[in-house]
Amino acid sequence: MEAITPNDTRGASRKALLQAARDLIVTRSYASVGIAEICAQAGVRKGSLYHFFPGKEALTLAMLDALYADFERDVLIPGLSGANGLRARIDAFVHAIHAFEARMQTESGQLPGCPFGNLAVEMGTHNPALRQAIRKHLDAVTAHFRAVLDAAVQNGELPPETDTAAAAEQWLALMEGILVMAKADQDPATILRLGPALGALLLNPTPEVHHER
Amino acid sequence: MEAITPNDTRGASRKALLQAARDLIVTRSYASVGIAEICAQAGVRKGSLYHFFPGKEALTLAMLDALYADFERDVLIPGLSGANGLRARIDAFVHAIHAFEARMQTESGQLPGCPFGNLAVEMGTHNPALRQAIRKHLDAVTAHFRAVLDAAVQNGELPPETDTAAAAEQWLALMEGILVMAKADQDPATILRLGPALGALLLNPTPEVHHER
DNA sequence: CTTGCACTTTACCGACCGGTCAACTAGTGT
DNA sequence: ACACTAGTTGACCGGTCGGTAAAGTGCAAG
């Protein structure tokens, strides 16, 4: 018999490795965290890691998938769908991000910024596999933003000719930039201070857009 | 006799080390570049590096000072002061950044993004000395942006009640975000595609600003 | 009882990490 | 001629890196 009780110890080491990799890499960086440290934190021997994953990169890829799933469930969807109206949704999203970063700083002593943006910056120039995986997750975030903007167009809160795809991309870019600044400050207040810029960017009729992509 | 001819070989190794550190760290990352590699690229033995610098961190700090000086001279000042009018200056700045990133990609095969933002992201959570040095350089960039915005207020292009300090910070945040996205894409076209967001953000009367800093 | 398999454990690999050291070289001022 | 010094050199340090290999463990199906 098999797979009837998935909630036993089967896969416990695998999960512990994914969680340890997440905790360490998110709060520091890919290169500064070693296999040995991940194994120690997970309470697993190195050989077991290589039983479940071909190597550090594959472990990180799997960790990012799980991280995005949790981020979508815990931050993205609740933060964007709670309120009604575009401005309220943007504000709610900013506060959801602020709460996430502030909690991380309380728990780990560090304000991590955006885990995906961080990895994109660190590995963008010399690890194509990781870069493309991150790119996919960022596109998924953009799709959520666009859905919110499309709803605002439907409501008449934004003019019907709004290029919601372009605006969603700008939304993500500004959010990433805000988190870079907050990380440089190591201060979650930076998120609240810069947050209003999102409203200024998204609630105004965007001038001529060169739609090239 | 001394210091009458600073253009001889005195300090040549030091300069070569700074340049090698810049080339390697800017196109990759701090952690992925080793002392040995920097020395090899500079044509200098390891012992000499430790004659001029106490260690890797100090070398990086000095490299960042030189990098900011060049960036200010070659990109910031020409890009911001050339044209007249706020919109034209923003556009010129975007194109200056685009040109810089496109040239870097041609020369080194990699689109590096913002070197300061990159280091802030990589070291922000676990190297306070580097983080604070980067914070200073980012503040210096913000001051340049603010001067441009103040001139626009003087011209009447922006309303007199504009909070130029806040707007300059938003300008930097959005620029950093655009460069994160461009690095994730490894495509300079992303800078031009997202560039118009800067105009949308800065040329509109920013709504209520919680001035807390 | 035995075979097979998923998983674990431990010892080990060569390469590289940042950093140290003492000896040496060459140019300078006295 | 001499001493001083800034700069250079190459050998060396302990520690860590990501990754490998082989033996061992426990459990479940036949």
Side-chain angles (χ1 to χ4, degrees), chain B residues 56-117:
Chain B
K56 188 187 185 184
E57 182 183 301
L59 169 64
T60 306
L61 253 9
M63 177 274 277
L64 285 175
D65 286 343
L67 177 64
Y68 176 77
D70 286 358
F71 173 70
E72 192 175 57
R73 174 169 45 80
D74 298 338
V75 180
L76 219 41
I77 292 178
L80 288 174
S81 65
N84 271 358
L86 181 54
R87 157 136 269 143
R89 287 185 172 179
I90 293 171
D91 288 347
F93 175 72
V94 168
H95 282 88
I97 296 291
H98 173 264
F100 172 79
E101 298 287 333
R103 183 171 53 81
M104 288 292 294
Q105 194 179 42
T106 305
E107 289 176 4
S108 71
Q110 308 291 342
L111 190 153
C114 173
F116 302 103

Side-chain angles (χ1 to χ4, degrees), chain A residues 2 14 17 20 22 29 54 74 86 106 109 123 131 154 168 179:
Chain A
E2 192 212 316
R14 209 186 113 99
L17 286 166
R22 180 193 302 201
S29 68
D74 298 338
L86 181 54
T106 305
M123 313 308 287
R131 201 200 93 221
Q154 225 74 32
L179 286 169

Side-chain angles (χ1 to χ4, degrees), chain A residues 1 33-36 46-47 50 55-56:
Chain A
M1 210 169 281
V33 175
I35 293 284
K46 210 192 295 195
Y50 285 93
K56 188 188 184 185

Side-chain angles (χ1 to χ4, degrees), chain B residues 1 33-35 46 50 56:
Chain B
M1 208 172 281
V33 174
I35 294 284
K46 211 191 293 192
Y50 285 93
K56 188 187 185 184

